Amino acid sequence: MFRRTASWKKYAQQFRNKPASYLTSFAILHEITAIIPLPIVYYSLDYSDIRIPVPEQAVAEGNRIMSKVRTRYGYEPLDPDSRVMVNLATSYAVVKAMLPLRIAASVALTPLMAERFIGPIGSLVTRLFRK
């Protein structure tokens, strides 16, 4: 147990020295772990036979409302029995439910990204603007 805390002390010290790069890294990783799963979950639902149990009347009513919005902005209306909106809402809910995993992954990868990507990019930008 003491080895684990000792290994994190190094990262805590680095965070104290460069909080901006660590916070930026965490924010970027957190957003990446939110954006990348969305199309994966959506297309998995779309191409599989998994049907989320939603009353057909609710799907038709939701599609009617969304079709009005879509036609207002110049897009084609949805079919009344289309499951696109159900799959989009389900994908969003799955990504939100994965929040603890996303935070854990972001925290675990923050030191790597801060030291290997954000820090060097920040140094490069600083050197470019000092000249």
Side-chain angles (χ1 to χ4, degrees), residues 13-111:
Q13 184 62 35
Q14 290 172 342
F15 177 76
R16 276 188 227 121
N17 294 337
K18 303 180 233 174
S21 64
Y22 274 69
L23 291 173
T24 303
S25 297
F26 178 81
I28 291 170
L29 288 166
H30 182 70
E31 293 306 315
I32 288 172
T33 59
I35 293 169
I36 290 178
L38 269 173
I40 294 170
V41 174
Y42 174 80
Y43 286 114
S44 298
L45 289 170
D46 196 37
Y47 291 119
S48 69
D49 290 332
I50 299 172
R51 291 182 59 89
I52 306 303
V54 176
E56 290 303 317
Q57 182 182 0
V59 172
E61 181 66 15
N63 285 343
R64 184 184 67 77
I65 293 169
M66 286 308 299
S67 290
K68 283 183 183 179
V69 173
R70 288 174 58 96
T71 54
R72 173 181 242 168
Y73 290 104
Y75 296 101
E76 294 179 17
L78 294 171
D79 293 332
D81 61 339
S82 175
R83 306 282 296 179
V84 169
M85 295 309 297
V86 174
N87 289 346
L88 284 172
T90 303
S91 301
Y92 180 79
V94 167
V95 170
K96 286 298 178 184
M98 289 175 21
L99 184 64
L101 294 173
R102 290 176 39 223
I103 289 175
S106 297
V107 167
L109 293 173
T110 292

